[in-house]
């Protein structure tokens, strides 16, 4: 049995005096899609920040490909095969699609970058058609795809995403989740935090429920979906209403297949 590509063990972390994560563990293998859900303030974003080297943990470890990478800086992690799509500010609105992709691949040698950007146009024809368009003029879904493509330019083996579906229309959510499923099928480990909990768990090989800075539940996504306790405590009635955009949550979009 080979070890997971990413192994996060017993992380404790917080801001100043306030401890937010109180012993969180998580693992992801190549080609696995991992979803992290949990109430607002549970520490989901903080966990991604720790794993991607944006916040140093007080305790615990992050191992990648068998090596300890705890506290390694983000740029360095990106060179080694991890990348991160933050929830906000994940594209440069005044730059074109092409420029955004080039900036995303700035750590690559020039020839390799050109090829990597071309690969992105192949994977995301929608972006190829709009390569000269400013990112700020794209629709929400298109912009999210650009943010994902920007991270994929560096050819990561592990991709972290913080709430990729936040603020998107139901159609755009489908577009983004379909693409993430395709990313996973290419053998990349996808680790995403989501408020759209039902939809995200339905897609997940493994789901984690984070609550009060601890692992509350871990299991196959569909098992968590069917767990009455998880449903009662964390899945609410239908759509995740906790997203910051509280305009008309459409019904039906969270139905598992
Ligand atoms: N930069 C920060 N400084 C201080 N406290 C923060 C900061 N970011 C988040 N927190 C606090 O940490 C806790 C967990 O936040 P977060 O990881 O963003 O939760 P989630 O993503 O699960 O909603 C919250 O209580 C939040 O107020
Ligand atoms: Mg968050």
């Amino acid at each position: 049995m080979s070890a997971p590509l990413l192994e996060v063990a017993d992380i404790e972390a917080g801001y100043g005096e306030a401890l937010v994560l109180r012993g969180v563990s998580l693992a992801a293998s190549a080609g696995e899609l991992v979803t992290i859900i949990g109430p607002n303030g549970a520490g989901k974003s903080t966990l991604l920040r720790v794993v991607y080297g944006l916040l140093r943990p007080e305790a615990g470890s992050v191992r990648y490909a068998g090596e300890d990478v705890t506290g390694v800086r983000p740029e360095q992690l990106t060179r080694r095969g991890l990348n991160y799509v933050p929830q906000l500010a994940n594209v440069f609105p005044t730059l074109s699609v092409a420029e955004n992709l080039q900036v995303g691949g700035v750590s690559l040698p020039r020839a390799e970058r050109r090829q990597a950007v071309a690969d992105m146009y192949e994977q995301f024809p929608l972006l190829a058609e709009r390569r000269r368009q400013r990112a700020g003029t794209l629709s929400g879904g298109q912009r999210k795809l650009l943010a994902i493509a920007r991270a994929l330019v560096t050819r990561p083996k592990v991709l972290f995403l913080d709430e990729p579906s936040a603020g998107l229309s139901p159609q755009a959510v489908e577009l983004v989740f379909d693409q993430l499923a395709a990313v996973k099928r290419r053998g990349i480990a996808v680790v995403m935090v989501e408020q759209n909990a039902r939809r995200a768990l339905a897609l997940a090989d493994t789901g984690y429920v984070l609550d009060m800075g601890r692992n509350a539940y871990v299991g196959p996504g569909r098992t968590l979906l069917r767990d009455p306790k998880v449903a009662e405590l964390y899945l609410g009635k239908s759509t995740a209403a906790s997203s910051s955009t509280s305009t008309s949550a459409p019904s039906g979009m969270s139905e598992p297949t």
Side-chain angles (χ1 to χ4, degrees), residues 97-98 101 117-133 138 146 149:
V97 166
L101 293 175
V117 170
D119 289 351
M120 286 307 114
Y121 288 142
E122 204 169 298
Q123 279 173 46
F124 301 92
L126 209 142
L127 296 179
E129 292 162 19
R130 291 166 176 77
R131 62 182 84 192
R132 281 183 191 77
Q133 198 173 320
L138 298 173
L146 176 58

Side-chain angles (χ1 to χ4, degrees), residues 15-183:
Y15 306 91
E17 299 283 272
L19 202 58
V20 171
L21 301 177
R22 301 161 182 276
V24 176
S25 299
L26 176 148
S29 297
E32 182 179 16
L33 196 149
V34 171
T35 294
I36 305 162
I37 65 160
N40 265 328
K44 304 180 299 296
S45 296
T46 300
L47 177 60
L48 290 191
R49 279 185 218 128
V50 167
V51 176
Y52 190 60
L54 293 161
L55 180 67
R56 200 175 261 282
E58 307 290 331
S61 65
V62 180
R63 295 179 67 80
Y64 166 68
E67 289 179 41
D68 190 340
V69 295
T70 318
V72 171
R73 297 194 46 77
E75 312 80 59
Q76 188 58 32
L77 290 176
T78 291
R79 278 194 203 96
R80 286 163 83 157
L82 301 94
N83 215 341
Y84 166 66
V85 182
Q87 185 179 344
L88 301 168
N90 45 34
V91 300
F92 294 106
T94 60
L95 298 187
S96 69
V97 166
E99 288 162 342
N100 266 282
L101 293 175
Q102 281 149 18
V103 172
V106 75
S107 64
L108 301 173
R110 187 179 269 256
E112 202 179 318
R113 186 192 321 157
R114 195 175 304 129
Q115 185 58 51
V117 170
D119 289 351
M120 286 307 114
Y121 288 142
E122 204 169 298
Q123 279 173 46
F124 301 92
L126 209 142
L127 296 179
E129 292 162 19
R130 291 166 176 77
R131 62 182 84 192
R132 281 183 191 77
Q133 198 173 320
R134 281 183 182 213
T137 66
L138 298 173
S139 72
Q142 293 164 358
R143 207 178 314 176
K144 191 60 66 159
L145 290 189
L146 176 58
I148 293 167
R150 281 197 67 209
L152 291 174
V153 164
T154 61
R155 300 183 162 135
K157 296 197 166 63
V158 182
L159 181 66
F160 302 107
L161 306 104
D162 198 347
E163 301 206 21
S165 80
L168 298 184
S169 71
Q171 266 179 318
V173 170
E174 289 310 308
L175 183 68
V176 166
F177 280 172
D178 283 353
Q179 286 301 325
L180 292 177
V183 169

